[in-house]
Amino acid sequence: ELAGNEPTVIFLPHFVGLDAAWAAMALAMPRPSTTIYTDQSNKLVDQWILQGRQRFGHLRLFGRIEGVKPIVAALREGQPLYLLPDMDFGPDESVFVPFYGVTTATVPSLSRFARLGRAKVVPLLPRITDYGYEVQVLPAWTDFPSGDAVADTARMNARLQDYIATMPAQYYWVHKRFKTRPEGEASL
């Protein structure tokens, strides 16, 4: 699924082994790959994370503040994009879709980048085992994106639930997936 130069968005959910997974993939992949980075408020932590994420393979980090144009250009050039879209960026940058039966603010970026980059979506699931890390590359999704970013994001969350069901203790639950509530709904 990751061979060749076809535009590819790698859906990498927030499982605790995600940094090890993309380090292993970046080392194994002959072509450069990219990901999006959000600056951390603590500049020391920010520097530490950036250095750690760039030390394996050919990984290019785009800052969120750079916008989508350079990311889409790299994607169309055949640089796979590691995307971690199972996040809540607040009501202005998210859509409300189901996640475990709860209306949840979720960024619709997986659909957006797949559409803009004319890219396939390949899930990558990291798992911590008794012997180290295991990285599972799943088949590319079919009929994605659909042209409806809200429906696509709901589909992403439904598939994510299936992935989480295989290892619920390894999902990064402290990521506050339910922090933004629809207007008028009480906090969870």
Side-chain angles (χ1 to χ4, degrees):
E1 291 293 340
L2 298 176
N5 289 322
E6 184 178 356
T8 304
V9 177
I10 299 170
F11 172 40
L12 180 57
H14 281 88
F15 286 101
V16 293
L18 70 89
D19 281 303
W22 86 29
M25 295 305 294
L27 285 169
M29 200 170 305
R31 56 186 167 154
S33 53
T34 64
T35 193
I36 302 168
Y37 180 73
T38 302
D39 289 332
Q40 305 298 304
S41 57
N42 181 315
K43 293 303 169 195
L44 215 67
V45 170
D46 192 62
Q47 182 181 1
W48 179 70
I49 291 172
L50 284 171
Q51 287 174 343
R53 288 187 176 166
Q54 290 178 311
R55 62 186 246 224
F56 299 108
H58 306 287
L59 183 62
R60 182 175 173 193
L61 294 168
F62 289 105
R64 275 186 72 215
I65 58 171
E66 294 178 58
V68 300
K69 282 185 178 183
I71 300 165
V72 171
L75 186 55
R76 287 184 181 176
E77 290 171 8
Q79 296 176 28
L81 170 64
Y82 291 92
L83 194 63
L84 296 81
D86 54 327
M87 298 176 69
D88 173 353
F89 283 165
D92 294 337
E93 295 185 53
S94 302
V95 295
F96 286 99
V97 293
F99 184 58
Y100 285 98
V102 177
T103 302
T104 305
T106 307
V107 293
S109 60
L110 185 63
S111 176
R112 183 179 188 195
F113 282 115
R115 180 179 50 81
L116 292 173
R118 297 184 214 74
K120 65 181 178 180
V121 172
V122 175
L124 186 73
L125 303 180
R127 181 184 312 269
I128 298 174
T129 70
D130 291 340
Y131 307 101
Y133 293 94
E134 176 182 288
V135 179
Q136 183 180 15
V137 179
L138 298 177
W141 291 353
T142 58
D143 303 322
F144 193 94
S146 70
D148 179 341
V150 175
D152 288 345
T153 306
R155 184 174 169 193
M156 179 195 80
N157 274 356
R159 292 212 171 157
L160 176 58
Q161 284 180 215
D162 293 340
Y163 304 153
I164 292 170
T166 69
M167 52 182 159
Q170 293 192 38
Y171 189 64
Y172 200 63
W173 292 106
V174 296
H175 215 270
K176 301 180 184 174
R177 286 297 318 271
F178 306 106
K179 68 182 174 189
T180 302
R181 306 304 316 132
E183 193 170 323
E185 282 195 21
S187 172
L188 295 176

